[in-house]
Amino acid sequence: MKVTVVSGPRTEEVDLPNNATLTDLKKAYRPKVSIHRKSFKVPSADQSRAKEGKPQLTTLSDKTSLAEQGVKEGAQITYKDLGPQIGYRTVFLVEYAGPLAFILFYAMRPSFIYGASITKEYGYAQKVFISLFAAHFIKRELETVFVHKFSRPTMPLRNIFKNSIYYWSFAAFIGYILCHPDYTEPSATQVNIGAVAMVINELLNFAVHYQLSTMRKGDGDTARNVPEGPLFSLVSCPNYFFEVMSWVSFSVGTNMISSWFFTLAGLLQMAEWALKKHAGYVKVDPSNKKKKAILPFLL
């Protein structure tokens, strides 16, 4: 099977076997870059929403052969270089390592940050939430290595800088205030309520991540199965809900405005992701309309 690949003004004819997959096309097409940078599109079967002079395109996938996706002899395929890529797991490991490094540095070398004369010991709230902050990101790192399964192998390289700036800057801000000698502690009752609530939400968040992991055979599995069970009874993305509630608990227990800002920023970002995933689940199973995306009964 011969197809024509179009890249801007340049065209190239590529020979492929009749049962070729997207991976075969990526390997056969000439540019000597990582196959993860290569994206190919073909005209969609439904052109009802096509703009004048520009046909609507559909990205080819590796789920089925090219023939099953409508690619036939003489087909014209549009190529795009996605730019430098980096592994999903690598990005997660780096972005979570930063907050862990910040909090440990503040906690273990306070005299270096706050002055050589600092001798004051950490209070009860500081000890509890420094430990929980570190535990949260250790959990994230371990989940990245042993639990999460990624449907796509890579993401744009720029994401590692964007994600790291977000996590690292908030961690630097929160950690500096939490470990500061002049930090004002809330009551022990408030600290204990926040700490217990955070631990519960972290455990529930892990339970959701584990269930989602068991629904995939391994990295590269793109199956979009709709998760079920008690954890998914009210929202489509309870992992995001428990993540947000974990930081709400941290904010309550520490009584820090900086933590509330981080919680709000996280909610806004995760709400966007949750709404997209929820829409996908509804397409697969319309009965999911009765659920919310991230916040029970609200959003």
Side-chain angles (χ1 to χ4, degrees):
M1 177 174 67
K2 291 185 178 181
V3 298
T4 300
V5 179
V6 179
S7 176
R10 179 171 172 269
T11 62
E12 180 179 332
E13 196 172 73
V14 179
D15 280 317
L16 297 170
N18 291 330
N19 62 344
T21 64
L22 178 60
T23 299
D24 294 324
L25 175 58
K26 287 180 177 180
K27 291 178 179 179
Y29 187 54
R30 183 173 299 177
K32 293 182 179 180
V33 296
S34 167
I35 62 172
H36 301 306
R37 292 178 58 155
K38 298 180 180 181
S39 174
F40 297 90
K41 295 183 178 182
V42 293
S44 304
D46 180 10
Q47 292 293 322
S48 60
R49 291 184 293 176
K51 296 180 180 179
E52 186 176 348
K54 292 185 178 181
Q56 186 177 349
L57 302 177
T58 299
T59 303
L60 294 172
S61 77
D62 252 329
K63 293 181 181 179
T64 58
S65 69
L66 296 181
E68 290 177 283
Q69 297 178 71
V71 178
K72 301 177 181 179
E73 177 74 27
Q76 184 170 292
I77 301 174
T78 302
Y79 166 75
K80 180 180 180 181
D81 185 344
L82 298 177
Q85 301 286 297
I86 188 169
Y88 264 85
R89 190 165 274 109
T90 300
V91 172
F92 284 8
L93 289 172
V94 171
E95 68 185 42
Y96 299 149
L100 186 58
F102 271 113
I103 200 69
L104 293 178
F105 183 63
Y106 285 142
M108 297 173 69
R109 291 290 184 270
S111 60
F112 186 85
I113 304 298
Y114 306 108
S117 61
I118 297 300
T119 58
K120 182 181 177 182
E121 291 188 3
Y122 289 122
Y124 175 62
Q126 289 175 302
K127 290 178 181 178
V128 168
F129 284 103
I130 287 171
S131 300
L132 287 176
F133 187 97
H136 171 82
F137 286 100
I138 291 173
K139 166 184 169 289
R140 285 274 191 104
E141 295 279 34
L142 292 174
E143 286 178 337
T144 298
V145 175
F146 299 109
V147 178
H148 294 319
K149 295 171 183 173
F150 301 97
S151 58
R152 289 180 292 176
T154 64
M155 66 171 74
L157 178 63
R158 63 180 180 273
N159 284 10
I160 194 170
F161 302 105
K162 180 179 66 176
N163 292 14
S164 294
I165 288 172
Y166 168 75
Y167 278 107
W168 292 22
S169 59
F170 268 117
F173 188 26
I174 291 171
Y176 181 85
I177 297 172
L178 180 60
C179 298
H180 200 285
D182 295 332
Y183 169 73
T184 302
E185 296 199 351
S187 67
T189 300
Q190 186 173 336
V191 171
N192 290 334
I193 290 174
V196 170
M198 185 173 182
V199 170
I200 292 172
N201 281 291
E202 289 287 321
L203 292 173
L204 290 171
N205 174 265
F206 170 77
V208 176
H209 285 163
Y210 181 77
Q211 180 174 338
L212 292 173
S213 177
T214 61
M215 294 173 62
R216 281 183 173 163
K217 297 177 182 178
D219 288 341
D221 184 355
T222 58
R224 186 185 286 276
N225 299 315
V226 179
E228 299 176 348
L231 294 173
F232 294 86
S233 60
L234 296 178
V235 295
S236 291
C237 300
N239 50 324
Y240 296 152
F241 171 70
F242 293 129
E243 175 81 8
V244 171
M245 292 308 298
S246 180
W247 286 107
V248 167
S249 304
F250 183 92
S251 302
V252 169
T254 58
N255 209 30
M256 297 194 312
I257 294 178
S258 57
S259 180
W260 283 111
F261 275 121
F262 177 66
T263 303
L264 177 60
L267 172 60
L268 294 175
Q269 178 61 79
M270 285 184 275
E272 180 182 339
W273 296 336
L275 288 168
K276 290 179 180 179
K277 290 188 177 184
H278 179 66
Y281 290 150
V282 170
K283 284 183 179 179
V284 175
D285 183 358
S287 67
N288 281 279
K289 285 184 178 180
K290 63 185 180 182
K291 300 180 185 177
K292 295 299 182 180
I294 183 172
L295 299 178
F297 313 114
L298 297 176
L299 179 65

